[in-house]
Amino acid sequence: EINNPLAGILMFATLFAEDRSLPLEMREDAKIIVRETQRCAEIVKRLLEFSRNSIPRKKLKSLPGIMDDTMALLEHQAALSNIEIRVRYESALPEILVDPHQIEQVFINMVVNACQAMPGGGQLTITMHADYDNHYLVTNIQDTGHGIPKENLAKIFDPFFTTKDQPATGMAGTGLGLSVSYGIVQNHGGRIGVVSEVGKGTLFTIELPLAVAGMAPAQDYPSSLSATG
């Protein structure tokens, strides 16, 4: 019901924006309509994703492979923002049962959030290791950004809660990215945790179940990141 009129607005606004018979000022105004309509469409898309709560279509996949695909999409954006990326995977990580598209969406949300938390540049560190005692494959995503105030930590996974409208960030957000990610990880039988300190950065930890319990641990993996501080 919302997408159909948005599509009409977007089509005509685009035609106006590209019509060189119109004054430049009017075309620039039309571009604003196009941009804001696209933003509305993105909010609707995220609302649908949040409400559907779709069942994962799981298959055995390499989690480092999914993260590598994610970084291939985002590394250029990170480089433009002067963000140094460090990636470390434990050797011989087993494949696990996941919906690769949904988990890639989680990784994209997390990495984009981390980059947006470092508008002046910084360091993004991603590690993965297997916790064989608790039967999880653990992914840590740590940034050196502005951090999250303690009073907001309990709310960041709530639908529509966002800190991106703050003057310090200069960004706007729908407040659905982390909520969708939380739901996806829960539907996989996993957990998300967060530790943050204002002015020093944030560490997100994503734990997804190992496909087979009781596997022998691999050797020589780096220890997981500690909380920033």
Side-chain angles (χ1 to χ4, degrees):
E1 292 299 320
I2 297 176
N3 272 334
N4 287 340
L6 282 180
I9 295 169
L10 184 60
M11 179 182 68
F12 283 104
T14 301
L15 289 174
F16 292 151
E18 296 175 351
D19 187 348
R20 295 190 174 276
S21 67
L22 295 174
L24 178 61
E25 184 178 348
M26 291 183 65
R27 282 185 278 142
E28 292 299 321
D29 289 344
K31 287 179 182 178
I32 294 174
I33 297 173
V34 169
R35 184 177 69 245
E36 293 303 299
T37 305
Q38 289 172 332
R39 190 160 74 91
C40 289
E42 180 64 23
I43 293 172
V44 171
K45 177 185 173 184
R46 288 179 177 270
L47 280 168
L48 288 172
E49 289 172 348
F50 180 73
S51 63
R52 282 174 183 152
N53 200 17
S54 57
I55 298 172
R57 297 180 180 179
K58 296 181 182 179
K59 58 185 76 172
L60 276 174
K61 297 293 288 186
S62 163
L63 207 61
I66 297 174
M67 180 60 80
D68 287 343
D69 290 342
T70 300
M71 298 312 299
L73 294 173
L74 301 176
E75 60 185 0
H76 181 63
Q77 174 186 337
L80 290 175
S81 301
N82 195 30
I83 294 171
E84 178 189 359
I85 299 173
R86 295 183 178 180
V87 180
R88 294 182 294 162
Y89 304 140
E90 177 188 74
S91 61
L93 284 173
E95 293 185 333
I96 62 173
L97 281 170
V98 294
D99 182 319
H101 300 294
Q102 289 190 2
I103 295 303
E104 183 175 338
Q105 181 182 357
V106 171
F107 286 164
I108 288 173
N109 286 339
M110 294 293 180
V111 172
V112 167
N113 278 352
C115 291
Q116 290 176 341
M118 300 181 284
Q123 185 177 100
L124 174 65
T125 304
I126 298 169
T127 67
M128 288 186 189
H129 74 274
D131 178 356
Y132 291 97
D133 292 334
N134 296 301
H135 310 304
Y136 283 113
L137 201 161
V138 182
T139 302
N140 290 309
I141 300 173
Q142 186 172 31
D143 65 63
T144 57
H146 46 66
I148 303 168
K150 288 183 179 179
E151 62 270 21
N152 291 339
L153 277 177
K155 307 173 187 175
I156 60 172
F157 297 112
D158 292 349
F160 306 108
F161 179 80
T162 179
T163 60
K164 293 180 184 176
D165 295 318
Q166 305 301 320
T169 64
M171 297 175 294
T174 61
L176 287 171
L178 287 178
S179 298
V180 169
S181 298
Y182 186 87
I184 289 173
V185 172
Q186 277 205 322
N187 284 344
H188 279 75
R191 306 181 296 195
I192 295 184
V194 59
V195 178
S196 188
E197 186 173 346
V198 173
K200 293 190 175 181
T202 301
L203 167 66
F204 279 96
T205 300
I206 303 167
E207 299 174 311
L208 294 169
L210 291 170
V212 180
M215 299 175 66
Q219 302 298 316
D220 301 326
Y221 62 85
S223 60
S224 61
L225 295 175
S226 61
T228 54

Short mmCIF file of all heavy atoms in Angstrom, two decimals, residues 63-79 83-89 103-115 118 123-128 139-142:
data_model
loop_
_atom_site.label_atom_id
_atom_site.label_comp_id
_atom_site.label_asym_id
_atom_site.label_seq_id
_atom_site.Cartn_x
_atom_site.Cartn_y
_atom_site.Cartn_z
N LEU A 63 31.87 -19.58 7.45
CA LEU A 63 31.59 -18.23 7.96
C LEU A 63 32.67 -17.23 7.53
O LEU A 63 32.34 -16.10 7.16
CB LEU A 63 31.46 -18.28 9.48
CG LEU A 63 30.56 -17.18 10.08
CD1 LEU A 63 29.14 -17.30 9.56
CD2 LEU A 63 30.57 -17.27 11.60
N PRO A 64 33.97 -17.60 7.54
CA PRO A 64 34.96 -16.67 6.99
C PRO A 64 34.69 -16.32 5.53
O PRO A 64 34.92 -15.19 5.11
CB PRO A 64 36.28 -17.45 7.14
CG PRO A 64 36.05 -18.35 8.30
CD PRO A 64 34.62 -18.78 8.17
N GLY A 65 34.18 -17.28 4.76
CA GLY A 65 33.84 -16.99 3.36
C GLY A 65 32.75 -15.96 3.24
O GLY A 65 32.80 -15.06 2.39
N ILE A 66 31.73 -16.05 4.12
CA ILE A 66 30.64 -15.07 4.11
C ILE A 66 31.17 -13.70 4.51
O ILE A 66 30.80 -12.68 3.92
CB ILE A 66 29.50 -15.52 5.05
CG1 ILE A 66 28.89 -16.83 4.55
CG2 ILE A 66 28.43 -14.44 5.14
CD1 ILE A 66 27.85 -17.42 5.49
N MET A 67 32.05 -13.67 5.51
CA MET A 67 32.63 -12.39 5.92
C MET A 67 33.50 -11.81 4.81
O MET A 67 33.47 -10.59 4.57
CB MET A 67 33.45 -12.57 7.20
CG MET A 67 34.09 -11.27 7.71
SD MET A 67 32.90 -9.96 8.11
CE MET A 67 32.36 -10.52 9.74
N ASP A 68 34.26 -12.64 4.11
CA ASP A 68 35.09 -12.15 3.00
C ASP A 68 34.22 -11.53 1.92
O ASP A 68 34.57 -10.49 1.34
CB ASP A 68 35.94 -13.28 2.42
CG ASP A 68 37.09 -13.67 3.34
OD1 ASP A 68 37.43 -12.89 4.23
OD2 ASP A 68 37.64 -14.78 3.14
N ASP A 69 33.08 -12.16 1.62
CA ASP A 69 32.15 -11.60 0.62
C ASP A 69 31.62 -10.25 1.10
O ASP A 69 31.46 -9.31 0.31
CB ASP A 69 30.98 -12.56 0.38
CG ASP A 69 31.40 -13.81 -0.36
OD1 ASP A 69 32.48 -13.82 -0.98
OD2 ASP A 69 30.64 -14.81 -0.31
N THR A 70 31.33 -10.15 2.40
CA THR A 70 30.85 -8.89 2.97
C THR A 70 31.89 -7.79 2.83
O THR A 70 31.59 -6.66 2.39
CB THR A 70 30.51 -9.08 4.46
OG1 THR A 70 29.49 -10.08 4.59
CG2 THR A 70 30.02 -7.78 5.08
N MET A 71 33.13 -8.12 3.18
CA MET A 71 34.19 -7.11 3.13
C MET A 71 34.49 -6.69 1.70
O MET A 71 34.89 -5.54 1.45
CB MET A 71 35.45 -7.63 3.82
CG MET A 71 35.26 -7.95 5.30
SD MET A 71 34.42 -6.64 6.23
CE MET A 71 35.56 -5.28 6.02
N ALA A 72 34.32 -7.61 0.74
CA ALA A 72 34.53 -7.24 -0.66
C ALA A 72 33.55 -6.15 -1.09
O ALA A 72 33.87 -5.30 -1.92
CB ALA A 72 34.38 -8.47 -1.55
N LEU A 73 32.34 -6.16 -0.48
CA LEU A 73 31.34 -5.14 -0.79
C LEU A 73 31.64 -3.81 -0.11
O LEU A 73 31.30 -2.75 -0.64
CB LEU A 73 29.95 -5.62 -0.35
CG LEU A 73 29.35 -6.82 -1.06
CD1 LEU A 73 28.06 -7.26 -0.35
CD2 LEU A 73 29.06 -6.50 -2.52
N LEU A 74 32.30 -3.86 1.06
CA LEU A 74 32.39 -2.67 1.91
C LEU A 74 33.80 -2.10 2.05
O LEU A 74 33.96 -1.01 2.59
CB LEU A 74 31.85 -2.99 3.31
CG LEU A 74 30.39 -3.46 3.37
CD1 LEU A 74 30.03 -3.84 4.79
CD2 LEU A 74 29.44 -2.38 2.85
N GLU A 75 34.83 -2.83 1.58
CA GLU A 75 36.19 -2.36 1.84
C GLU A 75 36.50 -1.04 1.14
O GLU A 75 37.27 -0.22 1.67
CB GLU A 75 37.21 -3.43 1.44
CG GLU A 75 37.19 -3.82 -0.03
CD GLU A 75 38.14 -4.98 -0.31
OE1 GLU A 75 38.80 -5.44 0.63
OE2 GLU A 75 38.22 -5.43 -1.46
N HIS A 76 35.89 -0.80 -0.01
CA HIS A 76 36.13 0.47 -0.70
C HIS A 76 35.57 1.62 0.11
O HIS A 76 36.22 2.67 0.28
CB HIS A 76 35.51 0.45 -2.09
CG HIS A 76 35.73 1.71 -2.88
ND1 HIS A 76 36.98 2.13 -3.26
CD2 HIS A 76 34.86 2.65 -3.34
CE1 HIS A 76 36.89 3.26 -3.93
NE2 HIS A 76 35.61 3.61 -3.98
N GLN A 77 34.36 1.43 0.66
CA GLN A 77 33.74 2.46 1.50
C GLN A 77 34.61 2.73 2.73
O GLN A 77 34.81 3.88 3.12
CB GLN A 77 32.36 2.00 1.93
CG GLN A 77 31.68 2.93 2.93
CD GLN A 77 30.36 2.37 3.45
OE1 GLN A 77 29.73 1.53 2.81
NE2 GLN A 77 29.94 2.82 4.61
N ALA A 78 35.13 1.65 3.32
CA ALA A 78 35.99 1.81 4.50
C ALA A 78 37.27 2.57 4.15
O ALA A 78 37.72 3.43 4.91
CB ALA A 78 36.33 0.45 5.09
N ALA A 79 37.86 2.25 2.99
CA ALA A 79 39.10 2.92 2.58
C ALA A 79 38.86 4.41 2.37
O ALA A 79 39.70 5.24 2.75
CB ALA A 79 39.64 2.27 1.31
N ILE A 83 39.57 4.07 7.12
CA ILE A 83 39.44 3.04 8.15
C ILE A 83 40.34 1.86 7.80
O ILE A 83 40.25 1.30 6.71
CB ILE A 83 37.98 2.57 8.27
CG1 ILE A 83 37.10 3.72 8.78
CG2 ILE A 83 37.87 1.35 9.19
CD1 ILE A 83 35.62 3.43 8.74
N GLU A 84 41.22 1.52 8.72
CA GLU A 84 42.11 0.37 8.54
C GLU A 84 41.36 -0.89 8.99
O GLU A 84 40.77 -0.93 10.06
CB GLU A 84 43.37 0.53 9.37
CG GLU A 84 44.33 -0.65 9.28
CD GLU A 84 45.47 -0.56 10.28
OE1 GLU A 84 45.52 0.45 11.03
OE2 GLU A 84 46.28 -1.50 10.33
N ILE A 85 41.40 -1.93 8.13
CA ILE A 85 40.69 -3.17 8.44
C ILE A 85 41.70 -4.27 8.76
O ILE A 85 42.66 -4.49 8.02
CB ILE A 85 39.81 -3.62 7.25
CG1 ILE A 85 38.76 -2.54 6.94
CG2 ILE A 85 39.13 -4.95 7.56
CD1 ILE A 85 37.97 -2.81 5.68
N ARG A 86 41.49 -4.94 9.88
CA ARG A 86 42.30 -6.09 10.26
C ARG A 86 41.37 -7.30 10.42
O ARG A 86 40.40 -7.23 11.18
CB ARG A 86 43.05 -5.84 11.56
CG ARG A 86 44.09 -4.73 11.46
CD ARG A 86 44.85 -4.57 12.76
NE ARG A 86 45.88 -3.54 12.67
CZ ARG A 86 46.69 -3.21 13.68
NH1 ARG A 86 46.58 -3.85 14.85
NH2 ARG A 86 47.60 -2.28 13.53
N VAL A 87 41.67 -8.39 9.72
CA VAL A 87 40.85 -9.59 9.77
C VAL A 87 41.73 -10.77 10.18
O VAL A 87 42.78 -11.00 9.58
CB VAL A 87 40.19 -9.88 8.40
CG1 VAL A 87 39.35 -11.15 8.47
CG2 VAL A 87 39.33 -8.70 7.97
N ARG A 88 41.31 -11.50 11.20
CA ARG A 88 42.05 -12.68 11.66
C ARG A 88 41.08 -13.82 11.91
O ARG A 88 40.12 -13.67 12.68
CB ARG A 88 42.82 -12.38 12.95
CG ARG A 88 43.94 -11.34 12.81
CD ARG A 88 44.66 -11.17 14.13
NE ARG A 88 43.78 -10.58 15.13
CZ ARG A 88 44.01 -10.62 16.44
NH1 ARG A 88 45.06 -11.25 16.91
NH2 ARG A 88 43.17 -10.04 17.29
N TYR A 89 41.30 -14.95 11.24
CA TYR A 89 40.47 -16.12 11.43
C TYR A 89 41.29 -17.24 12.06
O TYR A 89 42.44 -17.46 11.67
CB TYR A 89 39.91 -16.64 10.10
CG TYR A 89 39.12 -15.63 9.30
CD1 TYR A 89 39.26 -15.56 7.91
CD2 TYR A 89 38.22 -14.76 9.92
CE1 TYR A 89 38.53 -14.66 7.17
CE2 TYR A 89 37.50 -13.84 9.18
CZ TYR A 89 37.65 -13.79 7.79
OH TYR A 89 36.93 -12.90 7.05
N ILE A 103 22.96 -14.21 7.10
CA ILE A 103 24.15 -13.91 7.89
C ILE A 103 24.99 -12.82 7.22
O ILE A 103 25.57 -11.97 7.90
CB ILE A 103 24.99 -15.19 8.11
CG1 ILE A 103 24.19 -16.20 8.95
CG2 ILE A 103 26.31 -14.87 8.78
CD1 ILE A 103 23.75 -15.67 10.30
N GLU A 104 25.02 -12.80 5.90
CA GLU A 104 25.71 -11.70 5.22
C GLU A 104 25.03 -10.37 5.54
O GLU A 104 25.69 -9.36 5.73
CB GLU A 104 25.74 -11.92 3.71
CG GLU A 104 26.50 -10.83 2.97
CD GLU A 104 26.66 -11.10 1.48
OE1 GLU A 104 26.56 -12.28 1.08
OE2 GLU A 104 26.87 -10.15 0.73
N GLN A 105 23.70 -10.38 5.63
CA GLN A 105 22.98 -9.16 6.00
C GLN A 105 23.38 -8.71 7.40
O GLN A 105 23.58 -7.50 7.65
CB GLN A 105 21.46 -9.42 5.95
CG GLN A 105 20.63 -8.19 6.29
CD GLN A 105 19.14 -8.48 6.29
OE1 GLN A 105 18.70 -9.58 5.99
NE2 GLN A 105 18.34 -7.49 6.66
N VAL A 106 23.53 -9.66 8.33
CA VAL A 106 23.97 -9.32 9.69
C VAL A 106 25.36 -8.69 9.65
O VAL A 106 25.60 -7.64 10.25
CB VAL A 106 23.98 -10.57 10.59
CG1 VAL A 106 24.64 -10.25 11.93
CG2 VAL A 106 22.57 -11.09 10.81
N PHE A 107 26.27 -9.33 8.92
CA PHE A 107 27.64 -8.81 8.85
C PHE A 107 27.68 -7.43 8.21
O PHE A 107 28.41 -6.55 8.67
CB PHE A 107 28.53 -9.78 8.06
CG PHE A 107 28.88 -11.04 8.80
CD1 PHE A 107 29.39 -12.14 8.12
CD2 PHE A 107 28.73 -11.13 10.17
CE1 PHE A 107 29.73 -13.31 8.80
CE2 PHE A 107 29.07 -12.29 10.86
CZ PHE A 107 29.57 -13.38 10.17
N ILE A 108 26.89 -7.23 7.16
CA ILE A 108 26.85 -5.91 6.51
C ILE A 108 26.36 -4.86 7.51
O ILE A 108 26.95 -3.78 7.64
CB ILE A 108 25.95 -5.94 5.26
CG1 ILE A 108 26.63 -6.72 4.13
CG2 ILE A 108 25.61 -4.52 4.79
CD1 ILE A 108 25.76 -6.93 2.91
N ASN A 109 25.27 -5.16 8.23
CA ASN A 109 24.75 -4.21 9.22
C ASN A 109 25.81 -3.86 10.25
O ASN A 109 26.00 -2.69 10.61
CB ASN A 109 23.52 -4.80 9.92
CG ASN A 109 22.28 -4.80 9.05
OD1 ASN A 109 22.19 -4.06 8.08
ND2 ASN A 109 21.33 -5.64 9.38
N MET A 110 26.50 -4.88 10.75
CA MET A 110 27.49 -4.67 11.81
C MET A 110 28.69 -3.86 11.30
O MET A 110 29.17 -2.93 11.98
CB MET A 110 27.97 -6.01 12.36
CG MET A 110 26.90 -6.80 13.09
SD MET A 110 26.38 -5.96 14.61
CE MET A 110 25.16 -7.10 15.20
N VAL A 111 29.19 -4.21 10.12
CA VAL A 111 30.37 -3.53 9.60
C VAL A 111 30.03 -2.09 9.21
O VAL A 111 30.80 -1.16 9.48
CB VAL A 111 30.95 -4.30 8.40
CG1 VAL A 111 32.06 -3.49 7.72
CG2 VAL A 111 31.50 -5.66 8.85
N VAL A 112 28.86 -1.87 8.60
CA VAL A 112 28.44 -0.51 8.24
C VAL A 112 28.29 0.34 9.50
O VAL A 112 28.74 1.49 9.55
CB VAL A 112 27.13 -0.54 7.43
CG1 VAL A 112 26.52 0.86 7.34
CG2 VAL A 112 27.39 -1.09 6.03
N ASN A 113 27.67 -0.23 10.54
CA ASN A 113 27.54 0.51 11.81
C ASN A 113 28.90 0.88 12.37
O ASN A 113 29.11 1.99 12.86
CB ASN A 113 26.78 -0.34 12.84
CG ASN A 113 25.27 -0.27 12.65
OD1 ASN A 113 24.78 0.51 11.86
ND2 ASN A 113 24.56 -1.09 13.38
N ALA A 114 29.85 -0.08 12.31
CA ALA A 114 31.19 0.18 12.84
C ALA A 114 31.86 1.31 12.05
O ALA A 114 32.49 2.20 12.64
CB ALA A 114 32.02 -1.09 12.78
N CYS A 115 31.73 1.29 10.73
CA CYS A 115 32.34 2.33 9.90
C CYS A 115 31.71 3.69 10.18
O CYS A 115 32.41 4.71 10.25
CB CYS A 115 32.22 1.97 8.42
SG CYS A 115 33.24 0.57 7.90
N MET A 118 33.00 5.65 13.04
CA MET A 118 34.36 6.21 12.90
C MET A 118 34.40 7.20 11.74
O MET A 118 35.13 6.98 10.75
CB MET A 118 35.37 5.08 12.69
CG MET A 118 35.42 4.07 13.82
SD MET A 118 36.64 2.76 13.56
CE MET A 118 35.80 1.74 12.34
N GLN A 123 40.13 2.13 13.21
CA GLN A 123 40.55 0.75 12.95
C GLN A 123 39.36 -0.20 13.20
O GLN A 123 38.70 -0.11 14.24
CB GLN A 123 41.71 0.37 13.86
CG GLN A 123 42.30 -1.01 13.57
CD GLN A 123 43.50 -1.30 14.45
OE1 GLN A 123 43.41 -1.99 15.47
NE2 GLN A 123 44.64 -0.72 14.08
N LEU A 124 39.12 -1.08 12.25
CA LEU A 124 38.08 -2.10 12.36
C LEU A 124 38.78 -3.45 12.41
O LEU A 124 39.53 -3.82 11.51
CB LEU A 124 37.14 -2.04 11.15
CG LEU A 124 36.08 -3.14 11.05
CD1 LEU A 124 35.10 -3.04 12.20
CD2 LEU A 124 35.34 -3.04 9.71
N THR A 125 38.54 -4.20 13.49
CA THR A 125 39.18 -5.50 13.69
C THR A 125 38.11 -6.58 13.74
O THR A 125 37.16 -6.49 14.53
CB THR A 125 40.01 -5.53 14.98
OG1 THR A 125 40.95 -4.46 14.95
CG2 THR A 125 40.76 -6.85 15.12
N ILE A 126 38.27 -7.60 12.90
CA ILE A 126 37.31 -8.70 12.82
C ILE A 126 38.06 -10.00 13.09
O ILE A 126 39.07 -10.29 12.44
CB ILE A 126 36.64 -8.77 11.44
CG1 ILE A 126 35.85 -7.47 11.18
CG2 ILE A 126 35.72 -9.98 11.34
CD1 ILE A 126 35.36 -7.33 9.76
N THR A 127 37.59 -10.77 14.06
CA THR A 127 38.20 -12.06 14.35
C THR A 127 37.13 -13.14 14.42
O THR A 127 35.96 -12.85 14.72
CB THR A 127 38.99 -12.06 15.68
OG1 THR A 127 38.08 -11.91 16.76
CG2 THR A 127 40.02 -10.94 15.72
N MET A 128 37.53 -14.37 14.16
CA MET A 128 36.65 -15.52 14.32
C MET A 128 37.42 -16.65 14.98
O MET A 128 38.57 -16.91 14.62
CB MET A 128 36.12 -16.00 12.96
CG MET A 128 35.10 -15.12 12.31
SD MET A 128 34.44 -15.88 10.80
CE MET A 128 33.50 -14.51 10.15
N THR A 139 32.27 -14.66 16.30
CA THR A 139 32.77 -13.56 15.47
C THR A 139 32.80 -12.28 16.31
O THR A 139 31.80 -11.91 16.92
CB THR A 139 31.86 -13.32 14.25
OG1 THR A 139 31.78 -14.53 13.48
CG2 THR A 139 32.39 -12.19 13.38
N ASN A 140 33.95 -11.64 16.36
CA ASN A 140 34.09 -10.35 17.06
C ASN A 140 34.30 -9.24 16.03
O ASN A 140 35.13 -9.37 15.13
CB ASN A 140 35.29 -10.38 18.00
CG ASN A 140 35.07 -11.28 19.20
OD1 ASN A 140 34.06 -11.16 19.89
ND2 ASN A 140 35.99 -12.19 19.45
N ILE A 141 33.53 -8.17 16.15
CA ILE A 141 33.65 -7.01 15.28
C ILE A 141 33.87 -5.80 16.18
O ILE A 141 32.98 -5.38 16.92
CB ILE A 141 32.40 -6.83 14.41
CG1 ILE A 141 32.17 -8.07 13.54
CG2 ILE A 141 32.51 -5.56 13.55
CD1 ILE A 141 30.86 -8.06 12.77
N GLN A 142 35.08 -5.25 16.12
CA GLN A 142 35.47 -4.19 17.05
C GLN A 142 35.91 -2.94 16.29
O GLN A 142 36.68 -3.02 15.34
CB GLN A 142 36.61 -4.67 17.95
CG GLN A 142 36.98 -3.68 19.04
CD GLN A 142 37.97 -4.27 20.04
OE1 GLN A 142 38.78 -5.11 19.67
NE2 GLN A 142 37.89 -3.85 21.29
#
